Amino acid sequence: MSSLRLSQTRTICDMLGGSNAFELEYTGSCNSSKSCNPFGDGIGYLPSVISLSMIQCSNDRLSLRFLIEFRNDSYQGYYSCPNLNTSLIGEGSWDAKSNRLCIIACRIYDASSSLEKSHVGDCTTRLSLRFPAILSIRNTSTIVGEIWTLKPSNEAGFFDRVEFRNSTRYGGGIQLQGLKYVFTEMDEVKKSCPKKNPRTRNSMGQYPDGYYLGFRMSIIKGSKGRIGWGSSDPLAVGDQQDQRFPFLIPSSSSKPKSSGVESNSSSDLLTISYKMSIMLPSSELDGGLNPFNESSNEYSQTEIQISAEGVYDTATGSLCMVGCRHLRSGDKTFSSHSMDCEILVKINFPPLISDRRSKIKGSIESTREETDPLSFRPLQFSGGAYYRSWATESIWRMDFEMIMLVISNTLAIIFVAFQIFHVRKHRGIGPMVSLLMLVILALGHLIPLVLNLEAMFIQDSERSILIRDGTWLEMKEVIIRVVTMVAFLLQVRLLMLSWTARCSTEKKKNFWIAEKRGLYVCVPVYIIGAIIAFLVKSRQNVDLTWYYIDEIILGSSRAYAGLVLDAFLFPQIIFNMFQNLREPALSRFFYIGITLVRLVPHGYDLYRANNYADIDDSYIYGDHGADYYSTAGDFVIILLGIFFAVIVHYQQRLGGRYFLPKRFQESVIDEELPVDSGEQLPLRYST
C-alpha cells in the first residue's frame, strides 16, 4: 500500500507529539498464546492497546524517543502512571524514502523493585509506522503500523507480527496532502437505497449540506429506552476531485477550500463515508453482535465499530449507507479482514429551519438472512442535531449566558447586602433568621468555587482556547468565580452576624429549640428527596454498568443540591412556624431578590429549549447538570419558589402559623416571650 510523505512544515514530531493510542490487531490463531504477546505469559493477558508517548524530539525534528506502553484497557487517566513492566523504550527516525517511521525498542528490566536499579536491555523489538495514502470502507485508519521481533521462532521471547492502527475510539488524525478516500461499495448502495420521490423534495425546507454532520447518538430499544450510546462522524465527503475530510485536522498544505454556509451544491446527492462507534451492554448483544459466543456479563460494555459509505440527499435530509462491522472478540481485534459488510445504515436529519429540539433518527440493520450467525436485530438510534448555523447561535448564547451569570451573582451580592443592613439596623432581627437557610445559601456559592478551583489557579493549555475577537474563555470564567467568591464571603458574613446575635440574646434557648426542631423536619425531607432523586436517575440508566454508578450519584447529588437551593426558604418557613414569628426577619429585597435569582434561570431554560439547539455541554447559565431543568421541572420549580416567597411574606405579617387551622395557631409549643427593650423590633415591615 502507498504511504503519504511528510511536508517540511509538518514533521513526524508534529504528527506524533504527546501521547498516541493505537488498537492492536492479532492473527486469528493468537488468542492468549504467548507467541503473540510481546511480553510472553508474564503479564497474564493479551494487550489490546499500544500507546506511544513522545519523550524527546531531535533538533531536526525527524528523530524521536518514545515510551511504548502495552495496555489492556481502552482508557487511561491523564494522571495515571505507566506500567514499566509492560513498556518499552524506543528510538526512531523518519525514513523519507519509504515514507515510514522505523523504531528500535528495548525492554525495561527490574522496574518493579526500584527505578534506580532498572536498566534497558533486549533491543530486538522493531516497530514501523506509516500514513496510508488511500482510505476505504475496510481501512479507515489514518495511521497504521506493525510490531515484530528479530528473534528466531524457536527462541524465548519470540512473538508473531502484530499490526496496530488508530481508530474512532482514540481520535481521528491529521490530514496530509494527497490523502484520498475510495468509495468501493457504491453499486451495493444503489441496490439497497431507493431514491426518494422527487415530489416530496423541498417540502420541509432546506437541509444541511452534509459536510459537518457528526453527532452523538443514543441507542433505543422499545420500552427500555436508552440502552447504549455512541458517536457518528463523517470521514470523507464528496468525490476525489473535491474531497473533504471534515473531522481530520488539516495540515498547512492540505487545508480544504471553504464549503460555504450550507448546501449550495448543484447536485442534491452527495457521496459520504462515516465512522461509527457504539457502546452496548454485553447483556444486550444478540447472536449476530456476539459472533464469538462470549459469556455475557451484564455489567460490561462492548464496543461496535462500523465504517459506512453511501449517498446523502441534501434535498430530503436522508442518508443511506452500506456499512462494514469490525468483528471483535472482547477488546481484541484478531484480523483486519474480519468484517461483516452486509449492513444497511439509514439516517434522517431534521431541516435547518426546525424546532431546535428536533432529533436525528436512524437505524442499523443487517441484510443477512435471520438464520445467518452474523445477522442481528435492527438497532434504532436518535441523536441531537448540531448544525453550523446553530453552532454560531450557540456561541452568541454562551457569551450571553456568561454575562447573565455575572449579573445573577452580582444581584445576589446586592440582595445579601440588603439583608446585612437589615440585620444591623434592627438589632433583634438576627436571631430570627434560620441558620440552616443561611448555611444552604453559603454552600450554594462554595460548591461551584471548589469544583472550579482549577479555573482560577491552574493554567490548563487545553482549556486556554482563544475564542473569536481575542477573548479568552478562561478569563471570563475567572471573572465569574471572583464574583461568586464575593457572594460567598457576604453569605458567610450574614451567617456570622445571625449566629452572634442568637448567641448573645437572652432568649437564645427558644431560638435554638426552634432551629433544632426545624432540623428534625428539614433533614428527613432532604434525605427522602435525595433517595427519590437517586432512584429516578438510576432507573433512567438501568442498563449502564456499575462503573457509572459514581457518576449517577454525583450527577443526582449536584442536581438535587440545585433543587434544595431553589427551595432555600423552606427552613425559614419551618423556623417561623415553630416560633410563630410575626416579625420581618428577612428583608423583602433579600427573600424576593434571591428567589428571582434562583427562578430566572428556569424561565430562561424554557425560552432556550424552544429557540436554541440542545447542547448540554455548552450551557453556562441554567446548567442542566446543576439543577432539574425540563419543561415540567421548570414550571414546578418556578411555582414552588413563588409559593414559598408568598408564605414568608404573609408569615411576617400574619404570623408563622397563619396557614394552619386556628386551634394549631394558638397551641404555641413554647410561649412567645416579649423581646427586651434593648432588642426592640420594628412594629411592621421595613427594609
Side-chain angles (χ1 to χ4, degrees):
M1 294 180 63
S2 59
S3 302
L4 295 173
R5 299 193 304 269
L6 294 181
S7 63
Q8 294 181 351
T9 58
R10 180 70 68 174
T11 66
I12 189 62
C13 292
D14 299 323
M15 300 294 290
L16 298 178
S19 181
N20 305 269
F22 303 91
E23 200 170 78
L24 293 169
E25 291 187 345
Y26 299 94
T27 61
S29 59
C30 266
N31 295 328
S32 297
S33 172
K34 65 179 181 180
S35 64
C36 302
N37 196 327
F39 298 92
D41 290 335
I43 60 175
Y45 61 86
L46 193 62
S48 60
V49 176
I50 179 174
S51 174
L52 275 65
S53 301
M54 188 177 71
I55 301 174
Q56 185 180 6
C57 181
S58 63
N59 294 331
D60 59 6
R61 304 190 66 78
L62 295 178
S63 301
L64 19 65
R65 182 175 296 158
F66 288 105
L67 174 65
I68 306 169
E69 184 182 1
F70 292 82
R71 306 197 310 262
N72 196 36
D73 57 339
S74 59
Y75 171 78
Q76 183 179 31
Y78 182 78
Y79 296 103
S80 59
C81 297
N83 182 2
L84 298 182
N85 293 319
T86 58
S87 300
L88 306 173
I89 290 291
E91 293 184 355
S93 299
W94 178 254
D95 186 348
K97 293 183 179 179
S98 60
N99 294 323
R100 66 181 61 226
L101 176 67
C102 300
I103 303 173
I104 298 176
C106 305
R107 293 284 298 270
I108 303 174
Y109 291 102
D110 298 328
S112 57
S113 58
S114 173
L115 289 178
E116 295 180 356
K117 297 181 181 180
S118 61
H119 60 279
V120 174
D122 188 5
C123 299
T124 58
T125 304
R126 298 290 185 268
L127 293 87
S128 70
L129 183 147
R130 63 185 182 86
F131 306 94
I134 298 176
L135 305 181
S136 67
I137 192 172
R138 288 176 172 80
N139 179 26
T140 59
S141 301
T142 55
I143 304 177
V144 298
E146 56 185 356
I147 313 167
W148 71 96
T149 180
L150 299 181
K151 294 182 178 181
S153 57
N154 58 355
E155 184 177 336
F158 170 82
F159 60 91
D160 292 334
R161 190 174 293 253
V162 182
E163 297 180 354
F164 62 86
R165 63 185 65 239
N166 66 338
S167 65
T168 306
R169 191 193 316 190
Y170 306 110
I174 296 176
Q175 178 189 348
L176 295 175
Q177 185 178 16
L179 180 66
K180 296 293 182 182
Y181 183 94
V182 177
F183 292 88
T184 59
E185 301 292 330
M186 297 310 295
D187 291 337
E188 188 64 29
V189 171
K190 293 179 181 178
K191 296 178 184 178
S192 304
C193 301
K195 294 182 179 180
K196 294 285 185 179
N197 187 345
R199 289 179 293 180
T200 64
R201 299 189 174 191
N202 297 322
S203 59
M204 297 295 292
Q206 189 180 13
Y207 289 87
D209 61 1
Y211 285 95
Y212 297 92
L213 295 182
F215 61 94
R216 292 174 295 179
M217 52 188 177
S218 298
I219 311 301
I220 310 298
K221 184 178 181 180
S223 59
K224 284 189 174 183
R226 175 185 167 183
I227 62 171
W229 65 94
S231 62
S232 183
D233 299 315
L235 175 59
V237 181
D239 55 28
Q240 293 189 23
Q241 295 180 352
D242 187 26
Q243 201 167 69
R244 299 169 192 165
F245 297 84
F247 281 79
L248 292 181
I249 303 172
S251 64
S252 58
S253 57
S254 64
K255 292 182 179 179
K257 299 178 181 179
S258 174
S259 60
V261 178
E262 297 295 347
S263 180
N264 293 318
S265 176
S266 58
S267 174
D268 291 332
L269 300 180
L270 187 68
T271 53
I272 190 170
S273 67
Y274 263 80
K275 296 177 71 174
M276 309 177 76
S277 177
I278 299 171
M279 296 296 293
L280 286 176
S282 299
S283 58
E284 295 293 341
L285 301 180
D286 57 19
L289 296 177
N290 188 17
F292 295 96
N293 294 320
E294 296 181 328
S295 58
S296 177
N297 181 354
E298 61 176 326
Y299 301 125
S300 64
Q301 297 282 325
T302 298
E303 182 183 27
I304 301 173
Q305 294 184 14
I306 296 176
S307 53
E309 63 182 39
V311 175
Y312 172 68
D313 191 339
T314 59
T316 61
S318 62
L319 173 61
C320 184
M321 300 182 291
V322 170
C324 288
R325 173 170 58 106
H326 295 256
L327 301 180
R328 304 167 57 86
S329 174
D331 288 333
K332 316 298 186 300
T333 300
F334 284 108
S335 175
S336 59
H337 305 291
S338 300
M339 305 187 77
D340 171 21
C341 290
E342 296 188 38
I343 296 175
L344 185 63
V345 180
K346 295 181 179 179
I347 305 175
N348 292 309
F349 293 90
L352 292 172
I353 304 176
S354 63
D355 189 341
R356 295 298 193 266
R357 292 172 294 180
S358 299
K359 296 291 185 180
I360 298 169
K361 296 183 178 180
S363 64
I364 302 173
E365 306 173 6
S366 175
T367 57
R368 296 177 180 269
E369 297 291 336
E370 293 184 1
T371 56
D372 193 294
L374 292 179
S375 177
F376 57 89
R377 292 189 297 270
L379 297 175
Q380 306 293 330
F381 63 84
S382 65
Y386 309 126
Y387 298 152
R388 282 180 294 168
S389 57
W390 296 2
T392 303
E393 295 177 356
S394 296
I395 293 174
W396 180 89
R397 174 186 55 75
M398 290 174 66
D399 290 338
F400 172 75
E401 288 183 3
M402 284 188 173
I403 296 173
M404 287 294 295
L405 192 56
V406 172
I407 294 175
S408 176
N409 288 332
T410 303
L411 289 175
I413 292 173
I414 295 173
F415 297 139
V416 174
F418 270 112
Q419 180 63 22
I420 292 176
F421 294 146
H422 185 67
V423 172
R424 284 180 173 275
K425 182 178 180 181
H426 308 292
R427 295 175 55 193
I429 286 296
M432 298 181 180
V433 180
S434 170
L435 298 181
L436 178 59
M437 178 192 69
L438 297 181
V439 169
I440 290 173
L441 289 173
L443 290 176
H445 292 291
L446 175 62
I447 293 175
L449 287 174
V450 173
L451 294 178
N452 295 278
L453 197 60
E454 183 182 13
M456 296 185 66
F457 300 107
I458 298 178
Q459 292 293 331
D460 188 341
S461 60
E462 293 183 358
R463 297 181 68 251
S464 300
I465 301 173
L466 187 64
I467 308 299
R468 55 188 179 84
D469 299 331
T471 303
W472 290 90
L473 177 61
E474 185 173 295
M475 289 302 299
K476 290 183 177 180
E477 292 181 347
V478 169
I479 293 173
I480 293 173
R481 306 309 166 208
V482 170
V483 177
T484 305
M485 175 71 78
V486 175
F488 167 70
L489 294 177
L490 282 180
Q491 288 285 2
V492 172
R493 176 57 179 163
L494 178 58
L495 176 60
M496 293 174 61
L497 285 175
S498 298
W499 182 286
T500 303
R502 182 174 297 184
C503 291
S504 60
T505 182
E506 294 181 0
K507 313 304 176 188
K508 60 183 178 181
K509 181 178 179 181
N510 292 336
F511 292 118
W512 284 115
I513 290 175
E515 190 75 44
K516 185 186 296 184
R517 289 172 177 168
L519 284 173
Y520 291 156
V521 173
C522 294
V523 172
V525 170
Y526 292 150
I527 293 175
I528 293 173
I531 294 173
I532 294 174
F534 171 75
L535 292 177
V536 171
K537 186 72 173 179
S538 61
R539 284 180 63 87
Q540 294 174 349
N541 300 273
V542 66
D543 290 298
L544 296 182
T545 65
W546 283 104
Y547 175 79
Y548 294 93
I549 286 184
D550 58 338
E551 294 187 8
I552 294 174
I553 294 175
L554 291 175
S556 300
S557 301
R558 190 175 174 220
Y560 184 67
L563 178 61
V564 172
L565 277 170
D566 293 335
F568 74 98
L569 288 175
F570 179 62
Q572 184 67 46
I573 292 173
I574 301 300
F575 183 82
N576 290 345
M577 188 180 68
F578 281 119
Q579 278 293 99
N580 200 19
L581 294 176
R582 191 180 296 182
E583 307 301 339
L586 302 181
S587 166
R588 282 177 295 182
F589 290 106
F590 175 73
Y591 72 83
I592 294 177
I594 299 297
T595 297
L596 290 176
V597 167
R598 294 301 309 174
L599 299 187
V600 169
H602 291 277
Y604 171 73
D605 183 64
L606 292 173
Y607 169 80
R608 178 175 58 190
N610 293 285
N611 293 275
Y612 294 100
D614 184 13
I615 310 177
D616 280 358
D617 292 343
S618 69
Y619 291 161
I620 299 172
Y621 183 70
D623 180 8
H624 279 195
D627 206 336
Y628 291 106
Y629 288 98
S630 63
T631 301
D634 290 335
F635 275 113
V636 170
I637 290 174
I638 290 173
L639 292 177
L640 182 67
I642 295 174
F643 176 66
F644 281 172
V646 170
I647 289 181
V648 170
H649 174 76
Y650 282 104
Q651 276 185 327
Q652 299 189 156
R653 287 182 175 273
L654 304 177
R657 301 184 189 141
Y658 80 93
F659 52 86
L660 298 178
K662 283 191 176 181
R663 62 191 184 96
F664 291 105
Q665 293 183 22
E666 301 301 329
S667 60
V668 181
I669 299 176
D670 291 287
E671 288 295 331
E672 187 175 357
L673 298 174
V675 182
D676 290 350
S677 59
E679 297 177 346
Q680 192 63 40
L681 299 174
L683 296 178
R684 280 296 176 263
Y685 239 87
S686 66
T687 59

